[in-house]
């Protein structure tokens, strides 16, 4: 089935690429139609992150995301967005084996969602895959530093850039992603000074998350940002709202009114005479 494409002046990957060194690029994750509609007027880029596996589906890591899951949420976000550049994460297991696998997965995501780009994790180790996807006319966002898809291999969520060896590896990854043709790169969970140096070192925009204010843009998981996260909130998150308490309070008041037969009241039921109903 053909993807549902939005109309209007959509921000594209090339527009994001041209923002290097300019006004910071505003990015947030989105996984659903209503959230995409609410965020779209305010951001430059919406990422349908594989974090959806944890945030909405209750998995312990992002490894619970599947290609089908990412496509379904990508379709929902595209229905709710008309302006932002929409990027869909390629989940673990959909691109690592070969360049051919990566191209096939990326093409399926773009064709079935209508998104503007895909994102995959890794640097030197996935440069061939990035180059092949870009050669297939699909824009790619890279992702270096802390890579959630590698959490089991790394033995946990470990901040990057704390040893000379690791710093050198980060620069090699950034250079590889840039050379392969990515239009931008996320730097996650990386020592501030190192992320800042990488931003100055490469010519494509960097998007920071737990990195540096010197990055060319910033991204947060929407549920973290609005205070919906029910487990531990990462250090790098600033909560701009507290919907946990708001939702809990609303549910408590609703439960009390139902048990006390205060809801539904006269305004929330239908009478025998249609003319008396408030539509």
């Amino acid at each position: 089935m053909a993807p549902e494409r939005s109309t209007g002046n959509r921000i594209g990957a090339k527009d994001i690429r041209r923002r290097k060194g300019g006004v910071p690029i505003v990015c947030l994750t989105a996984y659903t139609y209503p959230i995409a509609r609410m965020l779209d007027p305010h951001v430059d880029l919406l990422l349908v992150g594989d974090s959806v596996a944890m945030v909405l589906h209750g998995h312990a890591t992002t490894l619970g995301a599947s290609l089908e899951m990412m496509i379904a949420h990508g379709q929902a976000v595209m229905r709710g967005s008309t302006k932002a550049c929409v990027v869909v994460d390629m989940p673990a297991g959909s691109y690592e084996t070969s360049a051919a696998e990566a191209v096939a997965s990326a093409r399926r995501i773009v064709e079935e969602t209508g998104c503007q780009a895909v994102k995959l994790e890794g640097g030197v180790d996935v440069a061939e895959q990035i180059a092949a996807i870009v050669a297939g006319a699909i824009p790619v966002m890279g992702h270096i530093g802390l890579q959630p898809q590698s959490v089991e291999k790394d033995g946990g969520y470990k901040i990057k850039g704390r040893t000379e060896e690791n710093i050198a590896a980060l620069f090699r990854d950034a250079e590889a992603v840039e050379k392969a043709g990515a239009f931008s790169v996320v730097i996650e969970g990386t020592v501030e000074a190192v992320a800042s140096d990488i931003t100055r070192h490469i010519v494509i925009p960097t998007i920071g998350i737990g990195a540096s204010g010197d990055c060319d843009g910033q991204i947060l998981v929407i549920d973290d940002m609005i205070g919906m996260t029910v487990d531990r909130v990462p250090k790098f998150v600033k909560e701009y709202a507290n919907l946990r308490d708001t939702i809990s309070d609303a549910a408590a008041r609703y439960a009390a009114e139902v048990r006390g037969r205060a809801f539904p009241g006269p305004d929330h039921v239908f009478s025998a005479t249609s003319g008396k109903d408030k539509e």
Side-chain angles (χ1 to χ4, degrees), residues 3 31 53 65 67 123 129 202 265:
Y31 317 113
L67 198 58
Q129 285 91 326
I202 61 176

Side-chain angles (χ1 to χ4, degrees), residues 13-261:
K14 290 182 179 178
D15 299 311
I16 299 296
R17 171 66 181 80
R18 287 192 287 264
R19 295 279 294 273
K20 177 71 178 180
V23 176
I25 303 161
V26 179
C27 314
L28 283 168
T29 67
Y31 317 113
T32 65
Y33 167 79
I35 290 293
R37 283 199 62 177
M38 287 185 273
L39 300 184
D40 195 60
H42 307 289
V43 303
D44 303 303
L45 186 149
L46 288 172
L47 173 65
V48 186
D50 58 1
S51 48
V52 67
M54 303 171 69
V55 174
L56 294 190
H57 294 272
H59 289 277
T61 70
T62 63
L63 298 177
S66 66
L67 198 58
E68 290 71 24
M69 182 187 294
M70 299 311 305
I71 288 170
H73 287 284
Q75 291 170 339
V77 169
M78 281 298 294
R79 292 184 192 110
S81 167
T82 60
K83 177 184 78 73
C85 178
V86 176
V87 180
V88 176
D89 257 339
M90 298 184 69
S94 70
Y95 61 90
E96 299 93 325
T97 302
S98 68
E101 176 193 48
V103 172
S105 297
R107 184 171 293 122
R108 183 180 170 194
I109 290 172
V110 171
E111 288 180 351
E112 294 188 31
T113 68
C115 68
Q116 283 65 64
V118 297
K119 182 174 79 65
L120 68 161
E121 296 182 10
V124 173
D125 56 329
V126 296
E128 182 182 355
Q129 285 91 326
I130 293 174
I133 296 170
V134 172
I138 298 173
V140 175
M141 171 181 274
H143 185 143
I144 65 172
L146 191 158
Q147 297 168 37
Q149 291 179 10
S150 299
V151 63
E152 292 183 355
K153 180 177 67 177
D154 289 351
Y157 296 95
K158 297 181 178 179
I159 300 303
K160 306 300 181 180
R162 285 179 167 162
T163 67
E164 290 302 318
E165 180 181 4
N166 185 238
I167 292 171
L170 285 167
F171 272 84
R172 288 194 297 270
D173 282 342
E175 291 167 353
V177 168
E178 176 184 54
K179 185 177 180 181
F183 71 92
S184 61
V185 59
V186 170
I187 304 178
E188 180 171 357
T190 297
V191 170
E192 181 181 18
V194 177
S196 179
D197 288 344
I198 291 172
T199 297
R200 288 191 292 269
H201 181 69
I202 61 176
V203 299
I204 58 175
T206 60
I207 307 298
I209 179 166
S212 170
D214 290 335
C215 288
D216 298 294
Q218 299 294 328
I219 188 166
L220 285 176
V221 169
I222 181 61
D223 293 65
D224 290 344
M225 192 271 281
I226 61 176
M228 282 277 287
T229 302
V230 295
D231 298 314
R232 186 182 68 85
V233 178
K235 169 185 170 62
F236 56 77
V237 170
K238 179 176 179 179
E239 291 187 340
Y240 287 81
N242 180 5
L243 296 195
R244 284 186 299 271
D245 290 350
T246 299
I247 293 171
S248 179
D249 177 64
R253 289 189 291 114
Y254 167 74
E257 289 193 5
V258 168
R259 291 178 181 127
R261 298 194 181 278

